[in-house]
């Protein structure tokens, strides 16, 4: 049974984690336009959230963006590790999420067979 | 869209794109034979000209191309299910959308995973005040993200894994409680 009272305990527990979270951490960005949602973006994002929680990757930020115009390759998921190029994965299914997080987010190995784009970051 | 909850997720993206700070979602499983949801936001609203044209797929505010299917999709889905879509909007005040489907119509999509929709919205928009009311008969569940944020304090929000795991479990529990209580009557 979950209640709002649980949040008091969570607040105490998470106090120590705040310092660990940095704004410079890895970002995962998922398209949430109409086309993306119809293609399954919510399920992919839910899988990302669940996997980050299982692995306790508290410093990874999950963000959304609108349609970027590659609707035929949706669901699109971008990974940006600090000081590395922005990698766009296409046709992502919830089943691909574990591999993207384990190989790329954690270990820095790009999964070439899912990549549809690469953008060098400035600065 | 296979689920009404996906239409809701899509329509709330419009509220967020319109810079809404507060979104109210009301879902009623049975309002005199209709399944009804309403989304009310305090975004920048639309002028009369845009409001009149908004159901046209070739009218959109997006920049990547000149087609917008969100509103035409939900309009089509409600009409196929013997319902209607009503949009009211005022520039500088906000927009209210009401979608109604004949509850027992064969073409009415299922509600689907409302908890997943709410969680995705709050994790990616932790600053949004999101108020949800889910009703079925005389049973009702109300949720206000501001109440949760007040419990968590300034430094912790919905983007923390422990918080969104709690949120998912809490929403699923409360939504199914409303359903089970109604179906037991």
């Amino acid at each position: 049974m979950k209640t709002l009272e649980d949040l008091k305990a969570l607040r105490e527990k998470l106090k120590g984690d705040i310092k660990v979270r940095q704004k410079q951490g890895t970002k995962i960005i998922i398209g949430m336009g109409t086309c993306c949602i119809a293609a399954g973006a919510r399920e992919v994002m839910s899988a990302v959230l669940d996997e980050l929680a299982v692995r306790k990757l508290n410093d990874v930020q999950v963000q959304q963006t609108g349609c970027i115009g590659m609707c035929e390759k949706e669901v699109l998921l971008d990974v940006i590790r600090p000081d590395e190029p922005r990698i766009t994965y296409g046709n992502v299914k919830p089943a691909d999420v574990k591999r993207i997080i384990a190989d790329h987010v954690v270990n820095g190995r790009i999964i070439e067979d899912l990549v549809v784009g690469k953008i060098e970051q400035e600065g | 869209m296979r689920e009404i909850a996906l239409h809701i997720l899509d329509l709330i993206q419009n509220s967020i794109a319109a810079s809404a700070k507060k979104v109210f979602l009301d879902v009623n499983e049975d309002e005199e034979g209709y399944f009804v949801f309403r989304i009310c936001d305090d975004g920048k609203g639309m002028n009369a000209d845009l409001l009149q044209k908004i159901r046209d797929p070739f009218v959109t505010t997006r920049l990547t191309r000149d087609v917008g299917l969100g509103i035409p999709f939900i309009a089509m889905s409600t009409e196929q299910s013997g319902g209607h879509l009503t949009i009211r909007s005022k520039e500088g005040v906000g927009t209210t959308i009401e979608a109604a489907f004949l509850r027992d119509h064969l073409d009415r999509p299922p509600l689907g995973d409302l908890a997943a929709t709410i969680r995705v919205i709050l994790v990616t928009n932790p600053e949004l005040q999101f108020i949800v009311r889910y009703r079925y008969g005389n049973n009702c569940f109300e949720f206000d993200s501001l109440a949760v944020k007040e419990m968590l304090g300034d430094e912790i929000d919905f983007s923390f894994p422990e918080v969104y795991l709690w949120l998912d479990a809490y929403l699923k529990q409360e939504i199914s409680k409303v359903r089970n209580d109604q179906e037991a009557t």
Side-chain angles (χ1 to χ4, degrees):
Chain A
M1 181 76 187
K2 303 280 177 191
T3 68
L4 289 170
E5 292 297 310
D6 302 338
L7 298 170
K8 279 185 188 159
L10 263 185
R11 181 179 183 163
E12 287 304 311
K13 187 175 165 228
L14 291 173
K15 265 184 184 165
D17 286 359
I18 295 167
K19 285 186 227 83
V20 181
R21 282 167 69 96
Q22 301 166 359
K23 288 289 167 202
Q24 289 78 26
T26 298
K27 284 190 189 121
I28 297 177
I29 304 169
I30 297 170
M32 276 289 160
T34 303
C35 42
C36 317
I37 293 170
R42 188 193 65 188
E43 282 61 39
V44 169
M45 189 177 280
S46 294
V48 166
L49 295 176
D50 289 336
E51 186 65 14
L52 292 177
V54 166
R55 288 174 163 269
K56 300 196 180 352
L57 297 173
N58 289 5
D59 59 340
V60 177
Q61 291 180 60
V62 182
Q63 298 176 353
Q64 62 174 32
T65 184
C67 168
I68 61 160
M70 276 201 286
C71 311
E72 68 283 2
K73 296 202 171 76
E74 278 156 0
V75 175
L76 295 164
L77 183 156
D78 291 11
V79 175
I80 312 176
R81 282 166 51 97
D83 307 317
E84 290 182 22
R86 174 174 184 155
I87 303 297
T88 301
Y89 292 110
N91 298 311
V92 177
K93 305 274 177 289
D96 299 320
V97 165
K98 268 187 200 262
R99 191 154 66 109
I100 291 171
I101 290 178
D103 287 9
H104 191 169
V105 174
V106 175
N107 291 315
R109 285 197 308 271
I110 295 166
I111 303 166
E112 298 293 345
D113 58 300
L114 290 174
V115 172
V116 293
K118 186 186 270 191
I119 302 170
E120 297 295 334
Q121 299 286 327
E122 286 174 26
Chain B
M1 302 274 182
R2 295 176 307 276
E3 302 176 9
I4 290 176
L6 290 175
H7 280 296
I8 291 172
L9 175 60
D10 183 33
L11 292 168
I12 289 176
Q13 302 302 318
N14 294 342
S15 300
I16 291 160
S19 314
K21 301 273 174 282
K22 190 171 170 179
V23 173
F24 173 61
L25 167 68
D26 181 29
V27 178
N28 193 344
E29 289 263 1
D30 192 355
E31 197 166 297
E32 292 165 359
Y34 286 87
F35 181 106
V36 183
F37 75 81
R38 298 176 184 86
I39 297 167
C40 181
D41 73 44
D42 66 350
K44 65 184 174 191
M46 290 177 277
N47 60 36
D49 184 44
L50 180 58
L51 183 59
Q52 198 203 330
K53 294 188 300 197
I54 196 70
R55 290 162 196 255
D56 179 346
F58 297 103
V59 169
T60 180
T61 56
R62 84 201 285 191
L63 303 173
T64 45
R65 62 182 62 167
D66 297 328
V67 182
L69 289 173
I71 299 286
F73 261 167
I74 181 72
M76 183 182 78
S77 184
T78 52
E79 282 155 24
Q80 281 176 345
S81 316
H84 63 263
L85 180 73
T86 313
I87 308 172
R88 288 190 300 268
S89 189
K90 200 171 173 192
E91 257 185 310
V93 178
T95 300
T96 298
I97 287 193
E98 178 182 290
F101 309 74
L102 261 182
R103 184 177 153 69
D104 296 327
H105 198 287
L106 270 179
D107 290 324
R108 176 177 76 84
L111 170 59
D113 195 344
L114 184 61
T117 284
I118 296 169
R119 179 168 83 149
V120 161
I121 290 167
L122 283 171
V123 170
T124 50
N125 303 280
E127 298 304 316
L128 183 74
Q129 184 182 4
F130 190 21
I131 303 167
V132 180
R133 185 165 66 186
Y134 174 68
R135 292 185 279 166
Y136 195 168
N138 292 325
N139 298 289
C140 180
F141 162 58
E142 285 196 46
F143 173 84
D144 184 346
S145 66
L146 198 64
V148 172
K149 279 175 72 175
E150 278 168 6
M151 298 284 276
L152 290 171
D154 293 336
E155 292 173 301
I156 303 165
D157 64 33
F158 290 103
S159 68
F160 282 68
E162 284 90 344
V163 177
Y164 65 65
L165 285 182
W166 173 87
L167 179 69
D168 191 51
Y170 177 70
L171 293 171
K172 285 200 167 100
Q173 163 195 301
E174 295 300 314
I175 290 167
S176 62
K177 204 193 287 174
V178 168
R179 278 206 189 132
N180 295 342
D181 287 353
Q182 178 59 25
E183 276 153 18
T185 56

